[in-house]
Amino acid sequence: MYAPKPTSRFINLTITLLLVLSFSLTIASSDVDDIDGIEELIALDEEEEQLQQQQSEVSSHVKPSEAEVLSKAQRIVLELNHDNAKKLIDENEYVLVLGYAPWCPRSAELMPRFAEAATTLKELGSPLTMAKIDGERYPKAASLLGIKGFPTLLFFVNGTSQPYKGGFLSEEIVTWARKKTGAPVVRISSVADAHEFLKKQSMFVVGLFKKFEGPDYEEFIEAATSDNEVQFVETSSTEIAGILFPDTKPIDIFLGLVKSEPERYTTFEDTFKMHNILQFVDTNKFPLVTIMTELNSARVYSSPNKLQDQVYVFAEADDFKKLLEPFQDVARKFKSKIMFVFVDIREENLAKPFLTLFGLEESEETVVTAFDYMTSSKYLLESDLTPTKIEEFCTGLLHGTLSPFYKSQPIPDNKEASILTIVGKTFDNLILDSPKNILLEVHTPWCFSCEATSKQVEKLAKHFKGLDSLVFAKIDASTNEHPKLEVNDYPALLFYPAVDKSNPVKLSTKCSLKDLAALINKNLKAQDQITKDEL
């Protein structure tokens, strides 16, 4: 799921949380002289000391109710090791295993949620066994289970591993687990059960069916079974449906989505087909503005909503509080059409990869960007962050009237330069619109062989000095972009003929200096011949 060390490009948590809870499955040993037994007892003592220390550290950060949940979960989540891992998985029909490492901050963030989910599932009488294994301490056992990075969640059915595809909040883990162990839909038959359900569930789909049968009901069940993240509930009582969804219409069949957001209730108004229901859920399950975290970032990236346009707001958390309401007002107008995401600009590993795409990785100011995943285009709001400007930006995004954003360094001073420095803003003027032949070197800072090519270009520029029809230029592709500059391998040498800038000739960077000079001469002569023929 993740690399063994925290080096992922997009998903790499930088907030170190102080919660790494260690549970142990006690192994009795009657032979005190047995070496393995002594080592196990020592390990258990170390775990107990570590647990006491961590509980002390956590007490100032965790609410009493959360601490109680974790303490209770200590008796529910089983600790796997070299000796019991295979046996426990083989002897239980359903097992959900969390592979973690003490140094992994994402593991620390996930473990209390995993523990809380274990407690809830236990209270619900779930047949699921929940266990965890320290992959750092028991690498061989973790590897045999299929754990290759941290944190990893694996679901075992009768000993066979299946990937976990649910969310990472405790409620999402519970929902996924219940569906995978035989309860895709929860039936609510009393007013008391409805009120109790509302206390525990913040997001769910409610279906009202006078009779639990028929084509529409079958489509509902298929959708509930297919979806991995949202709990589906059903009832035949209009009164109960009204408790769960106050805006329930007085009809025999009704479907709605409930979530703990400003847009709390959303009514399904399409035909009862599985794909329509799933699309409705996927489109509406996110809040008006999604706050990205390490644990939900993968969910945001992989969401079917990526087929929509997405608007990202990068700001410090305190600044965003002032912007949240205006953005929610705008998001409400573009609901189901644009997905709005907030990223804390101080969360470097979440924000920087995006901001680098705009050359704004060092920015400390609020930045609003947009992505059209259908065309792979990106956009930047370069005006004041007023509700009107934000709405105009979103409207232009939907209608395709925004100009795509391309990175560019500031325009340099090329006076007296033997090799022109090109940036994104000057590519049209100095390359495409130039009446001369251009030899362009495309390089990046991380390219190992770019330096050698640059030295060759410098020598070539000296060799052809005085030839007015030929200009030498260079561009740093890491900080400058242009829609007509399509280069994937660096370094690259592109010869732009004076008579046709739309079809540059790619010259090999592996050629000797003499061969490159010969190729340039060959292309120059070809251009002269074309010019003569046209005359």
Side-chain angles (χ1 to χ4, degrees), residues 265-426:
Y265 304 104
T266 307
T267 300
F268 176 73
E269 297 178 341
D270 207 338
T271 55
F272 271 75
K273 296 295 181 182
M274 181 186 74
H275 63 274
N276 289 341
I277 296 172
L278 291 176
Q279 183 61 48
F280 165 75
V281 174
D282 285 331
T283 301
N284 292 283
K285 66 184 176 184
F286 286 97
L288 289 174
V289 179
T290 298
I291 299 176
M292 183 180 286
T293 65
E294 286 289 344
L295 289 179
N296 77 359
S297 56
R299 182 176 171 223
V300 172
Y301 299 140
S302 63
S303 169
N305 284 351
K306 279 185 69 173
L307 296 178
Q308 299 173 296
D309 296 318
Q310 294 188 348
V311 170
Y312 284 76
V313 186
F314 300 89
E316 290 194 2
D318 290 341
D319 293 335
F320 183 69
K321 289 178 182 177
K322 305 171 187 176
L323 293 171
L324 179 57
E325 189 172 338
F327 265 98
Q328 286 178 331
D329 290 339
V330 174
R332 193 172 285 109
K333 297 176 182 179
F334 295 94
K335 189 178 177 183
S336 80
K337 297 176 182 178
I338 296 178
M339 182 178 182
F340 289 78
V341 182
F342 162 66
V343 184
D344 189 338
I345 204 167
R346 292 172 299 182
E347 294 286 346
E348 184 172 307
N349 291 295
L350 287 175
K352 193 169 184 177
F354 284 100
L355 293 175
T356 299
L357 297 175
F358 295 84
L360 299 171
E361 56 269 28
E362 303 303 326
S363 176
E364 296 182 356
E365 302 296 326
T366 299
V367 176
V368 176
T369 69
F371 295 89
D372 183 340
Y373 288 96
M374 299 297 288
T375 62
S376 299
S377 298
K378 60 181 185 286
Y379 308 89
L380 177 67
L381 177 57
E382 300 184 81
S383 60
D384 295 335
L385 299 182
T386 63
T388 300
K389 293 296 183 182
I390 296 170
E391 185 173 344
E392 288 175 358
F393 180 69
C394 294
T395 300
L397 177 64
L398 281 183
H399 295 167
T401 57
L402 292 182
S403 297
F405 177 83
Y406 297 99
K407 287 192 294 185
S408 178
Q409 292 175 295
I411 298 176
D413 183 2
N414 281 315
K415 292 179 181 178
E416 307 301 327
S418 59
I419 301 176
L420 298 182
T421 297
I422 308 298
V423 297
K425 295 176 181 177
T426 61

Side-chain angles (χ1 to χ4, degrees), residues 21 109 158 213 256 286 376 466:
L21 192 61
E109 187 175 358
N158 294 319
E213 59 184 29
F286 286 97
S376 299

Side-chain angles (χ1 to χ4, degrees), residues 44-222:
L44 291 173
D45 287 340
E46 291 176 348
E47 284 189 4
E48 185 175 353
E49 291 176 4
Q50 183 183 13
L51 175 62
Q52 291 174 353
Q53 180 181 355
Q54 290 167 346
Q55 287 177 333
S56 176
E57 293 174 347
V58 167
S59 61
S60 61
H61 300 279
V62 182
K63 298 176 183 178
S65 59
E66 293 174 339
E68 291 172 6
V69 169
L70 296 177
S71 178
K72 188 173 183 180
Q74 184 180 353
R75 302 187 298 272
I76 298 173
V77 178
L78 304 180
E79 180 74 42
L80 302 182
N81 54 44
H82 292 310
D83 299 322
N84 68 358
K86 187 176 186 305
K87 181 179 179 183
L88 184 139
I89 287 172
D90 288 344
E91 291 181 352
N92 290 275
E93 182 179 7
Y94 302 112
V95 183
L96 184 61
V97 176
L98 167 62
Y100 70 95
W103 50 260
C104 173
R106 285 191 301 277
S107 295
E109 187 175 358
L110 179 56
M111 287 176 72
R113 301 178 181 188
F114 187 76
E116 185 178 352
T119 303
T120 301
L121 287 166
K122 183 75 172 179
E123 293 172 349
L124 291 171
S126 171
L128 179 70
T129 299
M130 297 184 70
K132 66 190 181 78
I133 183 167
D134 183 341
E136 178 113 320
R137 184 174 178 185
Y138 303 109
K140 191 175 293 185
S143 178
L144 288 174
L145 293 178
I147 295 170
K148 299 177 181 179
F150 309 110
T152 293
L153 282 171
L154 290 178
F155 181 57
F156 291 86
V157 180
N158 294 319
T160 301
S161 173
Q162 298 180 10
Y164 175 83
K165 295 182 179 180
F168 297 101
L169 297 176
S170 59
E171 182 179 309
E172 293 170 340
I173 296 172
V174 169
T175 297
W176 191 90
R178 294 186 75 184
K179 290 193 174 193
K180 294 301 178 183
T181 55
V185 179
V186 174
R187 181 171 296 180
I188 299 181
S189 304
S190 71
V191 170
D193 288 345
H195 287 296
E196 190 63 28
F197 179 83
L198 285 174
K199 293 177 183 178
K200 298 180 179 180
Q201 204 78 25
S202 62
M203 180 168 65
F204 57 91
V205 172
V206 56
L208 169 64
F209 300 92
K210 288 300 181 182
K211 294 183 178 180
F212 299 121
E213 59 184 29
D216 292 342
Y217 179 68
E218 290 174 2
E219 295 287 341
F220 171 77
I221 294 298
E222 287 187 29

Side-chain angles (χ1 to χ4, degrees), residues 211-271:
K211 294 183 178 180
F212 299 121
E213 59 184 29
D216 292 342
Y217 179 68
E218 290 174 2
E219 295 287 341
F220 171 77
I221 294 298
E222 287 187 29
T225 305
S226 299
D227 181 87
N228 286 320
E229 295 184 0
V230 181
Q231 182 63 64
F232 281 55
V233 299
E234 63 184 22
T235 183
S236 59
S237 166
T238 304
E239 180 185 6
I240 293 173
I243 294 171
L244 299 173
F245 196 109
D247 294 334
T248 302
K249 297 178 181 180
I251 53 180
D252 290 344
I253 298 178
F254 173 83
L255 183 72
L257 175 70
V258 180
K259 58 186 178 183
S260 57
E261 299 294 337
E263 295 294 300
R264 182 164 174 77
Y265 304 104
T266 307
T267 300
F268 176 73
E269 297 178 341
D270 207 338
T271 55

